[in-house]
């Protein structure tokens, strides 16, 4: 979190406020008790999928929602109905080796197919109704057309062969009907399951919480209560070595807390009065009293669920492409089918014309098309989770191939975000000790790395810290507070320039030029002194920059820090382009200007202070996680706070995009040839696609799509 830009908790550090790793993500929960935590999935919408009360719903088109549990049950029942149909009926007129027939078997097939058609096809009927209502026929309409034509023509064939002419050569499509419904249901279930797995991963995070908490009663006694019963403003005791039961603020005690399990940061974080703690983190050697600030419905886990809830509100471009392909196939098949019906009816009679049309319409809805994108998404989701990537908006995947720039924060992203006090200069009659004490008092409750560095130094020197009252943040500038009745400001050199407050410019240039971030303590318009703090590059930052450049993507550093400090970091990174002394609105303007020039931009930030620029960028990437950090504006979250995961995301996105396009070609591309041939366009020269050959090609494309999706993998840079 970066105090210069944070709306809520920035206690206003004046330097580069690009810093804090996010320690948690908003998430809503109530409903399902897990280790004392009430989990409620609310109305989680993910790319047309809603997760609610531990289950998931999927938009089947036109707003028709299908519950995950009901969908799973529908698939299995449909599969049970389909098995005897597949065993008892021919495949596009081909008698299969395992086909079984007996007197009355045709009745069994017809009855089971009717049940399957209405029961298994219901989600597609509802989806098609919504698509047609919105004048946008797509996947659901194409599937509905395919299964409806297959069923009605097969019913026609059954009536002809059973009641009119047993020897009539009228082929049925019961086998295709059954397999098409089951495979399309499977494809949608796979996609729902891929997203649900993210929910399952979140549920596992609940195991980080203890089952109970030591609640301090009104009488001052301590009793153990389930974590799910904790209410805001209650006080709990956390003993050494215990897990912290909920998000809160330390009211007394001091300890080092290991937040690695929830933030990915391995180092222990010092906590004392006023410090915020995260539910699920592990207390160190000290005892803490914590005031509850978030219940089970709005704490860390509920915030993460909200994060996923908003992860895929818009369908990705890949899904849009799949629907465009389906729409094209729908119109093409309908046109070619009707044309075939008319022409072949004139040439050979209605029966032949009808069969040609039905063959075209059934072939137009290949089984592979229903699996093309879901299989890739499922595979990609799994790979992403294994590598610490949460892709909130799949449209970001499509943008990667167009990427020109990657804008990045400095502190905490390219640098370690751990500041040491390199210099302390008094410009008044205050001693260095008193000056340090005032700096620490004003910043005592700030979690910014710069503030932490000052407070830690004060503690090392054994100073007594008295947190300032009436502390307020000045967005993008600093923090103010009252100590012993006197009002103080901690601000940047830029603020001093803007308000014409005198300070030593040469001294600033010398300290900032050495890579320090400079803070000034001001009272009544006079500078009392300054702190100079330095940060160091992450070991992996140079490698990240070189990898981006090899990918022909230009890295740019954006920071609120002073120009001299930013220049030094940019030089260490290979003299990359940088923009310094930026407020949140300034960063957004840089992104907007770059995009207005026709470029595609990725912005990497902490998800709250950079929210405007994250929202503006084609791809917004948040590094890390934190309870106070709203990352709703980010498309991708790098859970492990490792900037090199940016490269992993880019590589995975490119591979995923490539596989989706390949699968869409395999799933539907053959129709370019198959439909005209099935319609008999080359019949005058003796070439016509028989239903059997069309079925074989259709089956091969399905197998190829499945195998191709499984070959997706993340290629990591050497």
């Amino acid at each position: 979190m970066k105090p210069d830009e944070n709306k809520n908790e920035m206690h206003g550090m004046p330097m580069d406020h690009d810093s804090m790793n996010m320690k948690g993500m908003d998430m809503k929960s109530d409903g399902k008790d897990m280790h004392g935590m009430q989990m409620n999935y609310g109305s989680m919408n993910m790319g047309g999928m809603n997760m609610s009360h531990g289950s998931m719903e999927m938009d089947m088109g036109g707003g028709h929602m299908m519950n995950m549990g009901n969908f799973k049950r529908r698939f299995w029942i449909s599969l049970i109905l389909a098995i005897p149909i597949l065993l008892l009926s021919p495949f596009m007129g081909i008698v299969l080796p395992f086909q079984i027939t007996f007197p009355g078997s045709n009745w069994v097939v017809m009855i089971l197919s009717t049940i399957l058609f209405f029961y298994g096809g219901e989600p597609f009927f509802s989806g098609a109704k919504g698509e047609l209502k919105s004048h946008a026929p797509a996947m659901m309409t194409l599937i509905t057309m395919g299964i409806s034509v297959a069923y009605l023509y097969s019913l026609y064939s059954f009536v002809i062969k059973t009641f009119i002419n047993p020897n009539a050569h009228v082929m049925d499509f019961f086998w295709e009907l059954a397999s098409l419904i089951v495979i399309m249901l499977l494809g949608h279930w796979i996609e729902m399951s891929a997203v649900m797995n993210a929910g399952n991963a979140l549920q596992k995070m609940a195991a980080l919480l203890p089952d109970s908490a030591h609640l301090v009663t009104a009488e001052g006694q301590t009793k153990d209560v389930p974590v799910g019963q904790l209410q805001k403003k209650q006080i709990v005791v956390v003993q050494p070595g215990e897990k912290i039961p909920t998000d809160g603020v330390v009211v007394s005690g001091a300890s080092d807390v290991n937040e690695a399990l929830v933030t990915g940061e391995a180092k222990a974080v010092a906590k004392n009065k006023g410090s915020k703690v995260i539910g699920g983190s592990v207390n160190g050697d000290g005892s803490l009293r914590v005031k509850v600030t978030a219940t089970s419905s709005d704490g860390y886990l509920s915030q993460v669920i909200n994060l996923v809830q908003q992860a895929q509100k818009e369908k990705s471009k890949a899904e849009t492409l799949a629907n465009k392909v389906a729409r094209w196939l729908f119109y093409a098949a309908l046109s070619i089918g009707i044309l075939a019906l008319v022409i072949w009816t004139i040439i050979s009679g209605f029966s032949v014309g009808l069969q040609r049309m039905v063959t075209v319409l059934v072939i137009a809805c290949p089984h592979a098309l229903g699996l093309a994108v879901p299989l890739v998404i499922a595979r990609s989701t799994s790979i992403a989770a294994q590598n610490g990537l949460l892709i909130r908006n799949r449209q970001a995947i499509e943008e990667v191939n167009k990427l020109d720039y990657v804008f990045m924060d400095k502190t905490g992203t390219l640098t370690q975000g751990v500041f040491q006090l390199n210099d302390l200069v008094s410009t008044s009659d205050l001693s260095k000790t008193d000056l340090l004490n005032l700096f620490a008092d004003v910043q005592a409750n700030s979690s910014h790395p710069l503030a932490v560095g000052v407070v830690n130094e004060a503690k090392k020197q054994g100073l007594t810290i008295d947190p300032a009252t009436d502390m307020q943040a000045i967005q993008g500038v600093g923090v103010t507070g009252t100590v012993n009745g006197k009002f103080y400001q901690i601000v940047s050199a830029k603020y001093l320039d803007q308000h014409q407050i005198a300070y030593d410019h040469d001294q600033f240039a010398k300290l900032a030029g050495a890579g320090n971030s400079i803070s000034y303590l001001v009272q009544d318009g006079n500078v009392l002194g300054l702190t100079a703090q330095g940060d160091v590059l992450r070991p992996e930052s140079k490698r990240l920059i070189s990898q981006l450049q090899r990918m022909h993507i230009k890295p740019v550093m954006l920071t609120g820090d002073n120009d001299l400090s930013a220049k030094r970091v940019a030089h260490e990174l290979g003299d990359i382009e940088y923009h310094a002394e930026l407020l949140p609105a300034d960063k957004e303007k840089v992104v907007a200007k770059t995009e207005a020039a026709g470029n595609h931009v990725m912005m990497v930030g902490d998800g709250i202070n950079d929210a405007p620029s994250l929202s503006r960028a084609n791809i917004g990437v948040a590094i890390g996680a934190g309870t106070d950090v709203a990352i709703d504006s980010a498309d991708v979250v790098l859970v492990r706070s490792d900037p090199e995961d940016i490269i992993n995301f880019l590589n995975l996105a490119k591979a995923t995009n490539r596989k989706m396009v390949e699968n869409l070609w395999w799933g539907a591309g053959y129709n370019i040839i198959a439909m005209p041939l099935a319609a008999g366009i080359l019949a005058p020269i003796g070439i016509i696609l028989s239903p059997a050959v069309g079925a074989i090609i259709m089956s091969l494309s399905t197998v190829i799509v499945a195998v191709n999706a499984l070959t997706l993998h993340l290629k990591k840079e050497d």
Side-chain angles (χ1 to χ4, degrees), residues 294-603:
T295 64
S296 58
S297 64
D298 55 13
Y300 175 80
L301 293 179
S302 82
Q303 293 182 26
V304 175
I305 287 185
N306 266 347
L307 166 68
V308 179
Q309 178 179 0
Q310 298 179 32
Q312 298 171 3
K313 284 185 175 179
E314 297 182 4
K315 288 189 175 182
S316 71
K317 187 175 181 181
E319 286 181 303
T320 302
L321 178 59
N323 276 330
K324 285 182 178 179
V325 170
R327 186 175 300 117
W328 176 85
L329 285 176
F330 172 76
Y331 286 126
L334 202 58
S335 301
I336 294 173
I338 293 174
L339 189 61
L341 172 66
V342 173
I343 293 175
W344 283 101
T345 297
I346 295 172
I347 296 173
S348 304
F350 177 76
S351 178
V352 175
L354 182 61
Q355 185 173 352
R356 284 288 106 202
M357 183 186 73
V358 170
T359 302
V360 169
L361 297 182
V362 172
I363 284 178
C365 187
H367 302 62
L369 192 61
L371 299 175
V373 172
L375 286 176
V376 176
I377 291 299
R379 176 68 175 164
S380 181
T381 301
S382 175
I383 294 173
Q386 293 168 13
N387 288 274
L389 300 171
L390 175 59
I391 301 175
R392 303 177 62 236
N393 181 0
R394 292 204 299 268
Q395 191 168 357
I397 292 174
E398 294 294 322
E399 294 290 339
V400 165
N401 286 342
K402 309 172 187 176
L403 207 57
D404 300 300
Y405 287 85
V406 172
F407 290 162
M408 293 169 283
D409 281 336
K410 179 174 78 70
T411 308
T413 301
L414 294 171
T415 65
Q416 293 182 358
V418 179
F419 288 86
Q420 294 181 339
L421 186 61
N422 294 331
D423 208 345
L424 179 69
V425 180
S426 176
T427 58
S428 63
D429 57 359
L430 287 172
S431 67
K432 284 191 175 184
T433 300
D434 291 339
L435 179 64
L436 178 60
N437 218 148
L438 280 172
F439 265 106
D441 289 345
V442 176
Q443 301 171 101
N445 291 326
S446 175
S447 57
H448 189 277
L450 292 169
V452 171
V454 169
V455 172
N456 286 343
E457 182 63 28
K459 289 180 178 178
K460 287 181 183 178
Q461 297 187 20
L463 303 182
T464 300
I465 299 175
D466 183 15
T469 58
D470 302 324
M471 188 163 53
Q472 293 185 356
I474 308 174
Q475 188 178 27
V477 175
V479 64
T480 65
T482 302
V483 178
N484 295 327
K486 295 181 179 180
F487 179 75
Y488 295 94
Q489 297 170 296
I490 295 179
V491 296
S492 63
K494 184 177 180 180
Y495 179 88
L496 298 181
D497 291 333
Q498 291 173 342
H499 291 78
Q500 299 181 341
I501 299 175
Y503 67 101
D504 190 332
H505 291 263
D506 293 336
Q507 183 183 53
F508 169 80
K510 180 181 178 181
L511 292 171
N516 292 301
S517 293
I518 315 300
S519 302
Y520 290 91
L521 181 67
V522 178
Q523 183 194 19
D524 294 333
N526 297 312
V527 174
L528 303 182
L530 63 87
T531 57
Q533 294 172 267
D535 192 8
V536 294
L537 281 179
R538 286 178 178 265
E540 60 271 21
S541 293
K542 289 184 180 180
R543 176 179 166 87
L544 167 63
I545 297 301
S546 63
Q547 288 174 329
L548 288 173
Q549 291 171 336
R550 284 203 304 269
M551 298 171 76
H552 305 291
I553 299 172
K554 186 173 183 178
V556 180
M557 183 176 72
L558 304 183
T559 177
D561 207 348
N562 63 76
D563 185 79
L564 289 172
S565 179
K567 184 177 182 180
R568 180 189 65 85
V569 174
H571 176 70
E572 291 185 27
L573 290 170
D575 291 317
I576 65 172
E577 181 181 335
Y578 72 93
H579 299 264
E581 301 182 7
L582 300 178
L583 299 179
D586 298 327
K587 294 182 179 181
E588 190 271 342
K589 289 177 182 177
V590 172
V591 173
K593 183 178 179 181
T594 307
E595 290 182 345
N599 300 296
H600 281 69
V601 175
M602 172 192 286
M603 175 66 194

Side-chain angles (χ1 to χ4, degrees), residues 85-393:
I85 298 173
L86 299 178
L87 293 175
L88 297 173
S89 58
F91 173 47
M92 283 276 190
I94 304 173
V95 178
L96 300 172
F98 53 80
Q99 186 178 341
I100 303 171
T101 57
F102 53 84
S105 61
N106 59 330
W107 280 94
V108 174
V109 170
M110 188 274 293
I111 293 172
L112 292 178
S113 296
T114 300
I115 297 172
L116 178 61
F117 174 68
F118 287 103
Y119 177 74
E122 193 277 333
F124 307 115
F125 302 151
S126 300
K129 181 180 178 181
E131 290 178 353
L132 294 174
K133 188 176 181 180
S134 59
H135 306 290
M139 186 68 74
M140 296 298 108
T141 308
L142 181 64
I143 296 171
T144 297
M145 180 182 70
I147 62 177
S148 297
V149 170
Y151 174 72
L152 293 175
Y153 187 80
S154 298
L155 193 61
Y156 161 76
S157 173
F158 172 81
V159 171
I160 293 294
K161 291 181 178 180
T162 304
F163 300 107
I164 301 176
N165 182 7
N167 297 318
H169 297 288
V170 184
M171 183 176 63
D172 67 61
F173 293 92
F174 285 127
W175 199 99
E176 291 69 35
L177 168 70
S179 60
L180 191 57
I181 288 177
V182 169
I183 287 180
M184 291 301 171
L185 287 174
L186 176 62
H188 285 82
W189 181 26
I190 288 173
E191 189 166 1
M192 293 173 73
S193 296
V195 180
M196 189 65 178
N197 285 336
N200 291 338
L202 298 178
Q203 293 178 32
K204 293 174 184 176
M205 294 179 69
L208 297 176
L209 296 176
D211 294 325
S212 61
H214 310 307
L215 175 66
V216 178
T217 65
E219 296 77 24
Q221 302 298 315
T222 301
K223 70 173 183 177
D224 289 349
V225 299
V227 171
Q229 294 182 11
L230 292 178
Q231 300 297 319
K232 291 182 179 180
K233 297 185 179 181
Q234 290 182 329
I235 305 297
V236 296
V237 175
V238 184
Q239 300 294 351
E242 292 184 340
K243 290 181 179 179
I244 296 174
T246 184
D247 295 3
V249 176
V250 177
V251 294
S252 65
S255 184
D256 289 331
V257 174
N258 185 344
E259 299 178 339
L261 290 177
V262 290
T263 68
E265 294 293 322
K267 60 180 180 291
V269 180
K271 302 292 182 182
N272 46 48
K273 184 178 180 181
S275 298
K276 295 186 177 182
V277 292
I278 306 169
S281 54
V282 181
N283 188 24
D285 296 332
S287 178
L288 299 174
R289 286 201 170 208
V290 176
K291 180 169 70 175
V292 177
T293 59
T295 64
S296 58
S297 64
D298 55 13
Y300 175 80
L301 293 179
S302 82
Q303 293 182 26
V304 175
I305 287 185
N306 266 347
L307 166 68
V308 179
Q309 178 179 0
Q310 298 179 32
Q312 298 171 3
K313 284 185 175 179
E314 297 182 4
K315 288 189 175 182
S316 71
K317 187 175 181 181
E319 286 181 303
T320 302
L321 178 59
N323 276 330
K324 285 182 178 179
V325 170
R327 186 175 300 117
W328 176 85
L329 285 176
F330 172 76
Y331 286 126
L334 202 58
S335 301
I336 294 173
I338 293 174
L339 189 61
L341 172 66
V342 173
I343 293 175
W344 283 101
T345 297
I346 295 172
I347 296 173
S348 304
F350 177 76
S351 178
V352 175
L354 182 61
Q355 185 173 352
R356 284 288 106 202
M357 183 186 73
V358 170
T359 302
V360 169
L361 297 182
V362 172
I363 284 178
C365 187
H367 302 62
L369 192 61
L371 299 175
V373 172
L375 286 176
V376 176
I377 291 299
R379 176 68 175 164
S380 181
T381 301
S382 175
I383 294 173
Q386 293 168 13
N387 288 274
L389 300 171
L390 175 59
I391 301 175
R392 303 177 62 236
N393 181 0

Side-chain angles (χ1 to χ4, degrees), residues 7-79:
K7 296 178 182 176
N8 302 316
E9 265 317 84
M10 355 186 214
H11 309 311
M13 303 304 305
M15 296 45 115
D16 172 19
H17 308 114
D18 304 339
S19 58
M20 282 302 259
N21 15 12
M22 301 176 288
K23 297 177 186 166
M25 300 175 267
D26 278 326
M27 121 189 207
K28 213 66 179 161
S29 67
D30 302 6
K32 183 178 179 184
D33 194 332
M34 301 173 58
H35 298 280
M37 234 184 127
Q38 300 293 326
M39 301 291 293
N40 176 15
Y41 297 103
S43 59
M44 183 180 291
N45 186 300
M46 304 183 59
M49 304 179 195
N50 285 342
M51 190 178 288
S52 101
H53 303 294
S55 63
M56 176 179 278
E57 293 180 341
M58 181 175 185
D59 191 343
M60 300 301 295
H64 175 70
M65 305 306 297
M66 174 61 67
N67 180 271
M68 176 68 170
N70 293 339
F71 204 96
K72 180 179 179 180
R73 181 170 60 251
R74 190 178 297 268
F75 166 76
W76 285 114
I77 292 176
S78 296
L79 179 61

